[in-house]
Amino acid sequence: GGEGGGGAGRSEEAPPAERGGEVEGQEHVEPHVAVLFPWFVLTLGVFVYWILTRHLPWLPFTGVMFIIGTFMGVGTARIQGMNQLGESMREFWIPINSEVLLLCFLPGLIFKDALYLNFHLFKKSIWQLLIFAFPMVLAGTALIALITYNIFPYGWSFNFCMTFGSILSATDPVAVAALLEAVGAPPRLKVHISGESLLNDGSAMVFYTIFSGLYLLETGLPGLGEDYTWGSGIVKFLRMSLGGMMIGIFFGLGLVFCLWILDRRLSREENIVQVAASITVAYLCYYVADAVWGTSGVIATLTAGLTTSVCARAFLSDNQLYEDFLALVEHLLNTVLFTLGGLVWGSIIANSDERVGVFDARDWGFLFVLYLLLTLIRYFLFAAFYPVVSRIGIKSSIRELVFQSWGGLRGAVGIALAIVLDNEVASAELPSDNPVYSQQTNKLFGFVGGIAFLTLVINATAAGPILKKLGLVDPTPVRKEIVACYHTHGREYTIQKMLKLLTQPRFHDVNYTVVREHVSLVEHLTKEELFTQLEIFRRASQDGSRAPKLDGFWPYLDEAGPDKVADVEHERGSEMMKEIMEDLRASLPMGKVAQENIGSFKRKIEIAMTHKKNNVSAAEVTSKETDGRLIELRRIFLEIVRRQYDEMAQAGELYRRDFTTLALDESLAFAADRVNLGEPLQDWAFTSILDVSLMTTLSPLQRLPVIKSFTHAHELDDVMRTLAGSAADGQRLPRYEVVRTHVDRTLSFLYAHRRAQEILQREFVNSAEFSEYEKQVLQESVDECNAAEEYLGRYPRAVVGFFVNHKFCQILLSFAARYVKGLNEGKLLQDPEAEEFMEEITEELADLAKCAKHVHAGEVQTVEEKE
């Protein structure tokens, strides 16, 4: 086995009877039960994440998962039930081998942090980071050892205290990375804290290896320990640190070569292989460095990640896939790792009969004293080294060092090192002996887990407010101006999208009073601003688009200034609007389809069939449907419709979780089966059947009081009754959700089919061979649209208008969210800035879903609507 900190395969676990596991007569536990715990934790993590992001955003996710794991550990140790989850935790995860723990979780997390570390700032601050990672860690180890040796009443030897100090002196890179993401730390501070935690974790493992070897040697336990002199200790230190760097460079360059040869950017499979190669190299690098060569696996993986970041970023074919996969890996590993850390620590403090020794009230008192002393030691060390680190590298301010001192979290890495020591002693100490050393390592385990618990609960929770109090996240005046510019551009972007939507016939009757109430980005729209945006739209629209119809906007627009409210100004504005709209219509080239109403394809097809004679008659087309050409054209048409549904979903018009989307997607599958049998298009019929089936299934759930309260069903049903008024047929209008689904489905169906009609004619208009088949398919689509329009006519116009207006607002808000997301992904908006924008958009979407107003402020109803 290796000699590194945790060297995998170096030590053996104690037999179950000695470690408190399976005892004689106990029922055998099947190995497959082991997989239950991580998947249960990940499922639990989903609900925890939802609660925290919606209701308790100030609590750190990893800290909460550690607390949950602690309670699970205490419960498992105290309650000896034989349910499968308890067996999974008790038999497989609480006694987990520490080397396996490190090898499973650390490589992926460290590689991801190193890969996305700002290398330019890291390089400039390397001397600062080396001071943080080596002299400060050694000084912190010595100070912690002196305190515990002179204050703690446990009779620990000095070597044991130095081992204890080496475990606690390093901050956990995993916990720190999660903290920095949560609080939105600025780049320079991120480099200081992340770089320190990544490097000093490796150095602490080196110091741990040296001092734990000395401690184990003095215990006299057979086969444990190693003697170090000053000279051999320095050699060991250089071997583990510099050797780890060399191994990391080797694996990093190997990964660069792999990414270089996998350079087919258009091959989706090769993009996936690139990601697989990266995560494989990360784990293999850690294993070889730690278990094979006895060096620092942390430093090796860190170096491999930095090498990849510098040399191979240009070779990545799909950066988004790469980033998304590593983010997924980080979330999965963090969720399980912190819960597991809490689980193992909870089993210690539960004081069950399975463990050697107890963690009593006196120990809890010393734990809080130790936490306070560790905080003071960290502040003292940063103050002592401040004169140096403030003058080198990228320098450091006092405020940054104050927060960096506070942000020294401990986590699962320290717990893993404590497990290493506990396992080694437990495996060598016979049950017949007085387990004095097992009691010491058990006590150390309790303190290490307790410090991790307190830093995750106290330091991580208070980090955000402290960061703001110190002014480290306060935007500068220049930054505020930049964000304001993005807000202005976002408004212009949304207005342009709004004008684009208003060219579609389905949105010709949209009312601005609804839009301005639900979409703040287009609130207080003036005539002058609209004129400017229309001119921009005219210059940009060279793709055959129609002119936007603004009949529902013009009466409600604000004047350009407070004095421009006179009738003459209104008339001048109307004339200006008329001129712009005439210029707009004249400038937009109209294609063969765009020159006519989308819904009038039937008339066009009749004219074409009258004046254009081909060799294949309509009757012959019908008789030859089985020859495959008409079938293939119908398949193509359905795929075009499917693509329209996908684009609507991407634009936020359809939700992938919505039953409307499910009904539309499934209807295409049913229709495709019929088309393969030679039957005409009939996806509308299948859409209706599926929609009714889904709503019938959903109805009993919607009547539940909890669901009705959550969805505001009472208020929304009242809206439907108000809008319906006295229907001509005297029938009661269905519930809100039923009507919404019906109208939404029908409007989406009509839009997708009409867009598909345009695309089909444009794609095949020059193909004489398919001309009659094209007409046949278009006619079938027109018939489907007529049936959908007839169905929509069952509802009063005011009801349909209500949903159209709200659908229009939903699409605009989705466009705004995509705009903000793009700025954030391009690093033009920082995470806290983007979150502020997104929270506003999310709240507006939530208010839109609950809107129970059939008349909005300032809305002028027509005579027809009043009646």
Side-chain angles (χ1 to χ4, degrees):
E3 300 175 2
R10 182 185 62 192
S11 62
E12 297 180 358
E13 295 289 337
E18 299 176 17
R19 300 293 326 283
E22 185 177 343
V23 295
E24 186 176 356
Q26 185 174 348
E27 184 177 341
H28 173 68
V29 179
E30 294 295 336
H32 66 264
V33 176
V35 303
L36 179 59
F37 169 74
W39 294 116
F40 174 80
V41 168
L42 291 172
T43 304
L44 186 64
V46 172
F47 295 100
V48 171
Y49 178 83
W50 183 85
I51 293 173
L52 295 183
T53 53
R54 268 59 170 185
H55 305 289
L56 301 169
W58 47 274
L59 284 178
F61 174 75
T62 52
V64 172
M65 294 308 298
F66 189 92
I67 295 173
I68 292 174
T70 301
F71 283 107
M72 292 171 66
V74 173
T76 302
R78 304 299 298 179
I79 303 173
Q80 298 297 321
M82 291 305 294
N83 62 81
Q84 291 192 0
L85 180 60
E87 293 174 352
S88 179
M89 293 186 290
R90 186 181 303 109
E91 302 298 332
F92 296 101
W93 291 95
I94 291 178
I96 187 173
N97 183 285
S98 56
E99 293 97 358
V100 174
L101 174 66
L102 293 175
L103 285 169
C104 285
F105 292 97
L106 279 192
L109 295 169
I110 292 176
F111 183 82
K112 191 262 183 182
D113 292 337
L115 187 66
Y116 292 103
L117 200 63
N118 189 318
F119 182 76
H120 174 70
L121 293 178
F122 181 85
K123 182 177 64 174
K124 291 187 65 175
S125 62
I126 187 63
W127 292 111
Q128 291 172 296
L129 299 178
L130 290 175
I131 290 174
F132 294 150
F134 295 100
M136 280 182 56
V137 170
L138 184 58
T141 298
L143 288 175
I144 295 171
L146 288 172
I147 289 175
T148 54
Y149 184 75
N150 291 285
I151 294 180
F152 279 20
Y154 303 121
W156 290 353
S157 68
F158 189 72
N159 284 327
F160 186 75
C161 291
M162 287 293 289
T163 304
F164 183 49
S166 66
I167 294 175
L168 291 180
S169 61
T171 55
D172 186 353
V174 179
V176 170
L179 169 67
L180 296 179
E181 288 297 323
V183 301
R188 188 170 77 166
L189 190 59
K190 275 186 177 182
V191 169
H192 277 157
I193 298 179
S194 295
E196 177 214 356
S197 62
L198 287 168
L199 287 175
N200 73 10
D201 195 61
S203 64
M205 284 189 171
V206 175
F207 293 137
Y208 165 82
T209 301
I210 295 173
F211 293 118
S212 65
L214 293 172
Y215 163 70
L216 293 173
L217 184 65
E218 72 182 18
T219 62
L221 295 174
L224 296 182
E226 186 174 350
D227 191 16
Y228 291 100
T229 62
W230 281 98
S232 61
I234 293 174
V235 171
K236 179 76 171 181
F237 176 83
L238 293 176
R239 177 193 173 192
M240 294 188 66
S241 55
L242 297 180
M245 290 178 58
M246 298 305 296
I247 293 173
I249 292 174
F250 173 78
F251 275 93
L253 293 177
L255 178 58
V256 171
F257 176 74
C258 291
L259 297 178
W260 177 66
I261 62 175
L262 296 169
D263 61 347
R264 295 181 180 176
R265 294 182 177 270
L266 299 181
S267 173
R268 177 72 174 173
E269 189 66 27
E270 288 206 9
N271 297 345
I272 295 174
V273 174
Q274 279 192 334
V275 178
S278 300
I279 200 69
T280 301
V281 167
Y283 277 87
L284 192 60
C285 175
Y286 189 101
Y287 182 85
V288 171
D290 186 72
V292 178
W293 290 100
T295 61
S296 173
V298 172
I299 294 178
T301 308
L302 168 65
T303 308
L306 290 173
T307 304
T308 306
S309 176
V310 174
C311 303
R313 295 294 291 273
F315 301 143
L316 296 178
S317 301
D318 192 335
N319 282 284
Q320 192 61 48
L321 172 65
Y322 202 85
E323 187 174 346
D324 289 344
F325 177 80
L326 292 181
L328 172 64
V329 169
E330 181 182 42
H331 174 77
L332 296 177
L333 294 180
N334 270 336
T335 303
V336 178
L337 177 60
F338 281 91
T339 309
L340 179 59
L343 177 74
V344 176
W345 183 62
S347 69
I348 295 292
I349 63 174
N351 297 329
S352 65
D353 296 336
E354 297 181 357
R355 303 293 308 190
V356 177
V358 295
F359 202 82
D360 54 24
R362 183 182 67 166
D363 298 327
W364 280 100
F366 278 110
L367 173 61
F368 285 102
V369 171
L370 178 62
Y371 168 76
L372 294 175
L373 291 174
L374 284 177
T375 304
L376 293 176
I377 288 173
R378 187 165 171 84
Y379 273 104
F380 170 77
L381 291 173
F382 274 99
F385 284 92
Y386 176 73
V388 179
V389 298
S390 62
R391 289 175 171 81
I392 61 176
I394 58 177
K395 302 178 175 54
S396 295
S397 66
I398 294 179
R399 293 183 302 167
E400 288 174 339
L401 288 184
V402 168
F403 180 79
Q404 194 171 353
S405 302
W406 181 259
L409 306 184
R410 279 72 169 182
V413 174
I415 292 178
L417 293 178
I419 294 175
V420 171
L421 191 63
D422 190 45
N423 285 348
E424 289 182 324
V425 172
S427 62
E429 201 168 34
L430 297 177
S432 58
D433 298 337
N434 181 19
V436 58
Y437 299 117
S438 294
Q439 291 177 1
Q440 288 181 351
T441 57
N442 189 74
K443 193 77 69 178
L444 178 144
F445 199 164
F447 280 115
V448 171
I451 293 299
F453 174 82
L454 292 175
T455 56
L456 288 171
V457 171
I458 300 175
N459 294 48
T461 303
I466 290 177
L467 197 65
K468 294 178 181 178
K469 189 69 176 179
L470 293 172
L472 294 174
V473 292
D474 291 341
T476 63
V478 175
R479 188 64 199 174
K480 290 181 180 178
E481 291 181 8
I482 292 174
V483 174
C485 288
Y486 282 133
H487 189 278
T488 301
H489 187 266
R491 175 180 172 88
E492 295 172 352
Y493 172 86
T494 306
I495 292 174
Q496 289 295 313
K497 290 297 183 181
M498 180 183 73
L499 293 175
K500 183 70 173 178
L501 290 174
L502 290 172
T503 64
Q504 301 177 15
R506 57 182 177 148
F507 293 130
H508 279 178
D509 295 327
V510 167
N511 194 301
Y512 177 61
T513 59
V514 182
V515 179
R516 71 185 178 189
E517 181 164 332
H518 293 297
V519 186
S520 60
L521 279 172
V522 296
E523 193 178 12
H524 305 302
L525 183 62
T526 65
K527 296 173 183 175
E528 182 177 350
E529 184 179 13
L530 183 60
F531 296 153
T532 302
Q533 294 301 321
L534 277 170
E535 180 64 22
I536 296 173
F537 182 79
R538 182 185 67 82
R539 293 197 300 267
S541 299
Q542 301 297 329
D543 58 350
S545 300
R546 301 173 186 78
K549 188 175 182 182
L550 297 166
D551 293 353
F553 281 65
W554 179 248
Y556 307 105
L557 293 179
D558 296 333
E559 297 290 344
D563 299 328
K564 296 184 179 181
V565 294
D567 291 341
V568 62
E569 292 295 333
H570 179 78
E571 292 174 3
R572 189 176 69 84
S574 300
E575 292 299 322
M576 187 183 299
M577 170 67 75
K578 185 182 298 183
E579 291 175 5
I580 289 180
M581 296 301 291
E582 288 176 355
D583 292 341
L584 187 62
R585 291 189 179 94
S587 66
L588 297 180
M590 297 296 177
K592 297 180 65 177
V593 177
Q595 291 173 356
E596 305 175 16
N597 190 324
I598 296 281
S600 62
F601 274 105
K602 186 175 182 179
R603 180 176 60 85
K604 181 180 178 184
I605 293 172
E606 290 174 351
I607 294 174
M609 294 183 68
T610 302
H611 296 284
K612 183 177 180 182
K613 300 295 184 180
N614 287 334
N615 294 329
V616 183
S617 66
E620 290 173 322
V621 169
T622 304
S623 65
K624 295 181 180 180
E625 284 183 350
T626 56
D627 67 2
R629 289 180 291 178
L630 187 56
I631 292 176
E632 187 61 32
L633 195 59
R634 286 169 177 156
R635 288 174 182 166
I636 292 173
F637 188 86
L638 291 177
E639 287 304 316
I640 297 174
V641 172
R642 187 186 303 278
R643 188 174 68 186
Q644 300 310 307
Y645 290 151
D646 291 339
E647 291 178 358
M648 293 164 72
Q650 292 175 3
E653 184 171 349
L654 290 176
Y655 287 139
R656 280 301 178 196
R657 63 187 181 183
D658 198 281
F659 286 106
T660 300
T661 307
L662 177 61
L664 292 172
D665 286 342
E666 290 299 314
S667 69
L668 293 178
F670 283 109
D673 289 338
R674 294 296 184 180
V675 164
N676 291 333
L677 298 176
E679 298 183 13
L681 297 176
Q682 45 187 314
D683 49 323
W684 170 250
F686 289 116
T687 303
S688 305
I689 296 172
L690 286 168
D691 189 42
V692 171
S693 176
L694 288 171
M695 294 308 300
T696 302
T697 304
L698 195 62
S699 292
L701 295 175
Q702 292 176 330
R703 296 191 186 99
L704 295 175
V706 176
I707 302 297
K708 294 179 74 173
S709 174
F710 185 76
T711 59
H712 301 266
H714 294 295
E715 296 90 339
L716 297 173
D717 287 346
D718 290 340
V719 173
M720 289 299 96
R721 286 189 288 270
T722 302
L723 289 171
S726 55
D729 55 5
Q731 296 179 354
R732 183 172 63 87
L733 199 68
R735 294 188 311 279
Y736 170 88
E737 191 60 31
V738 175
V739 180
R740 185 199 68 80
T741 303
H742 289 173
V743 174
D744 196 15
R745 175 205 65 190
T746 307
L747 293 175
S748 300
F749 177 91
L750 288 170
Y751 175 74
H753 261 260
R754 286 165 176 168
R755 283 286 298 146
Q757 291 166 7
E758 289 188 51
I759 294 171
L760 185 68
Q761 272 208 336
R762 186 171 64 246
E763 295 287 341
F764 294 99
V765 71
N766 295 323
S767 176
E769 182 180 358
F770 284 98
S771 59
E772 292 298 334
Y773 297 103
E774 176 195 8
K775 295 172 189 176
Q776 177 73 17
V777 174
L778 287 174
Q779 181 63 57
E780 293 172 4
S781 176
V782 169
D783 292 340
E784 292 286 278
C785 290
N786 290 339
E789 287 178 337
E790 182 181 354
Y791 180 86
L792 192 62
R794 297 167 47 188
Y795 296 107
R797 183 177 177 182
V799 172
V800 177
F802 175 88
F803 288 109
V804 169
N805 278 288
H806 287 74
K807 173 66 70 176
F808 185 86
C809 296
Q810 174 187 316
I811 299 173
L812 280 185
L813 290 171
S814 298
F815 277 128
R818 292 172 64 190
Y819 171 77
V820 174
K821 182 181 179 182
L823 292 177
N824 182 237
E825 290 177 348
K827 308 302 180 184
L828 300 177
L829 273 182
Q830 299 172 1
D831 288 345
E833 297 164 347
E835 287 174 5
E836 185 176 348
F837 277 112
M838 293 300 289
E839 284 179 8
E840 182 179 348
I841 295 172
T842 302
E843 290 178 3
E844 290 181 353
L845 281 169
D847 293 338
L848 179 67
K850 297 182 294 185
C851 178
K853 295 180 180 179
H854 62 281
V855 177
H856 291 72
E859 183 176 353
V860 178
Q861 291 182 285
T862 64
V863 175
E864 180 183 352
E865 290 172 334
K866 290 179 180 179
E867 292 178 351

